[in-house]
């Protein structure tokens, strides 16, 4: 855990969040500023800065993607389609430097993203 990391503190239960699912290695909670009717973040409990650090940890990568698809199913998004996205670095829109996958659904998605 990194003491000054917001998502580490959410994972540790020090900062409240609307948790929808969790497991030994990850936590899923609702985004505080939802960009779609369903907007859940899936984070690892360990501090990993971004998906760029997954190059050496395919187990964690797989576990988080599996968690994201479980969340999508339990949120009822399977039929309608959904998006899993992760921003890497400030220029790509990453504002919290703890790896997270956004799970978005419940509305039609546009492409390309901005
Ligand atoms: P990103 O901009 O890709 O790094 O995504 C970070 C996300 O974290 C944004 O969508 C924020 O709305 C969300 N966020 C920031 N603080 C919190 C919080 N305390 N609880 C839930 N979501 C948060």
């Amino acid at each position: 855990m990194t003491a000054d990391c917001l998502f580490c503190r959410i994972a540790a239960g020090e900062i409240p969040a609307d948790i929808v699912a969790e497991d030994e290695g990850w936590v899923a909670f609702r985004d505080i500023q939802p960009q779609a009717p369903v907007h859940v973040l899936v984070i690892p409990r360990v501090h990993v800065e971004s998906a760029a650090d997954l190059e050496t940890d395919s187990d964690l990568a797989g576990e988080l993607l599996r968690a994201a698809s479980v969340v999508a199913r339990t949120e009822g998004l399977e039929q309608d389609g959904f998006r899993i996205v992760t921003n890497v670095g400030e220029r790509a829109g990453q504002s919290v430097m703890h790896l997270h996958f956004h799970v978005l659904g419940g509305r039609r998605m546009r492409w390309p993203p901005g």
Side-chain angles (χ1 to χ4, degrees):
M1 164 160 175
T2 305
D4 60 355
C5 170
L6 172 64
F7 285 180
C8 279
R9 298 187 68 195
I10 286 177
E14 289 179 11
I15 291 178
D18 187 357
I19 292 173
V20 297
E22 59 188 316
D23 205 347
E24 206 175 311
W26 54 269
V27 183
F29 53 95
R30 295 196 194 283
D31 196 293
I32 206 165
Q33 266 191 293
Q35 301 301 317
V38 175
H39 187 172
V40 174
L41 302 174
V42 178
I43 68 167
R45 288 189 189 275
V46 293
H47 185 80
V48 173
E49 190 167 304
S50 78
D53 298 315
L54 288 175
E55 192 175 340
T56 53
D57 199 341
S58 55
D59 287 351
L60 182 61
E63 189 183 5
L64 293 173
L65 276 176
R66 187 185 154 281
S69 74
V70 167
V71 165
R73 179 168 45 72
T74 55
E75 291 290 317
L77 301 177
E78 221 173 24
Q79 293 289 322
D80 211 28
F82 58 92
R83 184 170 290 173
I84 298 172
V85 63
T86 187
N87 299 319
V88 179
E90 183 268 330
R91 207 168 131 80
Q94 185 177 6
S95 60
V96 178
M97 297 299 153
H98 180 124
L99 172 63
H100 47 283
F101 286 93
H102 299 256
V103 180
L104 297 143
R107 67 165 168 84
R108 177 165 287 279
M109 299 289 160
R110 292 174 298 276
W111 193 264

